[in-house]
Amino acid sequence: MLFRSPKLLEGDADPLFAKLRFLARYGLRSTDVSLSECEALQGERRDRVIAFCREHQITLTVRPPLRFFLEERRELLAQVDRWLIFLDKQGRDLPIGLVTVGGSPQHRFAQDVSLAQQLEELRVVLTPLARGCCDHGLRLGIENHGDYYVSDLVELCAQTPHLGIFLDTGNCFLVGEKPLPAASDAAPLLVGGHCKDQKVRPLPRNTPLCFEVGNAMPGEGDVPLKEIFRVLCAHAPVGAPLVMEIECFPANWSDPVPEIERAISFVRSLTH
């Protein structure tokens, strides 16, 4: 579950505990947390978070803040080292269930840096990160974030041992990709993803031409989520749990709970 409204954080004065209490209230099992939130866990507060997550079977998804193509390779590799040191010294007993990366300022259509060069740069940085996560018993997934086709990420995974795919079901539209074939490509390498819907339409009379991608609550847009979940359930790796997070953008941010409850109900219907 992703949190983007203060209304969702009213359950506790501590923002992290407010997230966790919201998850527990609805029987949800995972949420994104920042690396800085993990680093800030100390003493009694750390013990309480660990105990609460254990009691409610909650895991945390952490995304190291790697700024691909915005910082030099040497600095990115140094950040990977610092992340792995954190895991070794402070992260071993934290309820981290998954590590994710993604969100490149480059994209597969860029003309100044070829797609092959981009994937090679990602491979160099992600190889030690994926290996280090694996050594700590954690899976690493790269998200399709409006930058690459899922098939590009499949190619990257083939060159990067222990790297999987964190599939965002809605982001496929951002690069003109069909969501259902993308899910089929991702499924054998899946570690988790964002269950997200979008409402789309072509605008061929605009200048420049464009394809509009708007927000929709899960089950109410143009992403074939029911078909996608059938494909993922049939072809995802067996044995490792998938961390599927609900990502949605309610129309009423002042009180998003009714819409979010509707989204939760729809997502739960996908597994029945």
Side-chain angles (χ1 to χ4, degrees), residues 163-257:
L163 178 64
I165 292 178
F166 187 80
L167 176 69
D168 187 300
T169 59
N171 284 350
C172 302
F173 283 133
L174 300 180
V175 288
E177 187 176 28
K178 293 182 178 179
L180 187 55
S184 296
D185 288 340
L189 294 161
L190 196 72
V191 298
H194 288 150
C195 181
K196 185 169 71 180
D197 212 341
Q198 304 280 27
K199 197 75 175 173
V200 300
R201 62 171 179 159
L203 296 175
R205 295 176 180 80
N206 276 35
T207 304
L209 305 178
C210 60
F211 185 69
E212 182 179 81
V213 181
N215 297 321
M217 299 303 290
E220 300 174 15
D222 295 308
V223 177
L225 289 173
K226 292 182 179 179
E227 293 84 353
I228 285 174
F229 265 68
R230 280 200 291 267
V231 167
L232 298 184
C233 289
H235 300 290
V238 176
L242 299 178
V243 180
M244 298 301 298
E245 300 178 343
I246 301 170
E247 183 175 14
C248 58
F249 303 87
N252 182 12
W253 280 110
S254 62
D255 185 13
V257 173

Side-chain angles (χ1 to χ4, degrees), residues 2-272:
L2 296 176
F3 294 85
R4 300 187 179 182
S5 169
K7 184 72 175 179
L8 305 178
L9 302 176
E10 294 179 342
D12 199 287
D14 183 317
L16 179 55
F17 262 99
K19 292 182 186 181
L20 298 178
R21 293 190 188 284
F22 186 93
L23 294 178
R25 175 183 173 187
Y26 288 97
L28 304 175
R29 299 293 179 83
S30 182
T31 186
D32 277 5
V33 295
S34 67
L35 178 57
S36 60
E37 284 180 291
C38 288
E39 291 175 328
L41 290 173
Q42 302 291 334
E44 181 184 355
R45 180 170 180 261
R46 175 191 178 89
D47 294 339
R48 288 177 60 224
V49 166
I50 293 171
F52 189 92
C53 288
R54 184 180 298 121
E55 178 185 357
H56 297 280
Q57 298 179 296
I58 291 171
T59 64
L60 308 177
T61 299
V62 185
R63 179 169 296 205
L66 297 173
R67 290 158 45 89
F68 299 111
F69 305 106
L70 295 175
E71 295 179 318
E72 296 293 330
R73 178 190 292 183
R74 181 172 58 183
E75 173 56 27
L76 290 170
L77 290 171
Q79 291 175 24
V80 168
D81 287 341
R82 289 195 288 271
W83 158 250
L84 295 177
I85 289 171
F86 165 78
L87 279 183
D88 193 53
K89 292 186 174 180
Q90 297 174 261
R92 286 186 178 274
D93 57 347
L94 290 179
I96 299 173
L98 186 65
V99 181
T100 65
V101 293
S104 167
Q106 285 289 0
H107 55 83
R108 71 176 329 275
F109 305 106
Q111 296 185 358
D112 55 335
V113 184
S114 72
L115 176 61
Q117 289 174 304
Q118 292 178 51
L119 295 182
E120 173 61 14
E121 185 64 23
L122 291 170
R123 183 196 68 78
V124 170
V125 176
L126 293 178
T127 293
L129 178 60
R131 183 177 60 247
C133 287
C134 181
D135 290 344
H136 286 83
L138 295 172
R139 295 166 298 152
L140 174 67
I142 184 167
E143 181 181 351
N144 56 315
H145 207 269
D147 40 22
Y148 303 109
Y149 290 160
V150 169
S151 58
D152 299 329
L153 301 183
V154 169
E155 180 181 339
L156 175 62
C157 290
Q159 303 299 320
T160 312
H162 311 299
L163 178 64
I165 292 178
F166 187 80
L167 176 69
D168 187 300
T169 59
N171 284 350
C172 302
F173 283 133
L174 300 180
V175 288
E177 187 176 28
K178 293 182 178 179
L180 187 55
S184 296
D185 288 340
L189 294 161
L190 196 72
V191 298
H194 288 150
C195 181
K196 185 169 71 180
D197 212 341
Q198 304 280 27
K199 197 75 175 173
V200 300
R201 62 171 179 159
L203 296 175
R205 295 176 180 80
N206 276 35
T207 304
L209 305 178
C210 60
F211 185 69
E212 182 179 81
V213 181
N215 297 321
M217 299 303 290
E220 300 174 15
D222 295 308
V223 177
L225 289 173
K226 292 182 179 179
E227 293 84 353
I228 285 174
F229 265 68
R230 280 200 291 267
V231 167
L232 298 184
C233 289
H235 300 290
V238 176
L242 299 178
V243 180
M244 298 301 298
E245 300 178 343
I246 301 170
E247 183 175 14
C248 58
F249 303 87
N252 182 12
W253 280 110
S254 62
D255 185 13
V257 173
E259 290 176 89
I260 288 178
E261 288 179 342
R262 193 165 77 240
I264 293 171
S265 178
F266 169 78
V267 172
R268 285 195 168 128
S269 75
L270 297 176
T271 60
H272 297 145

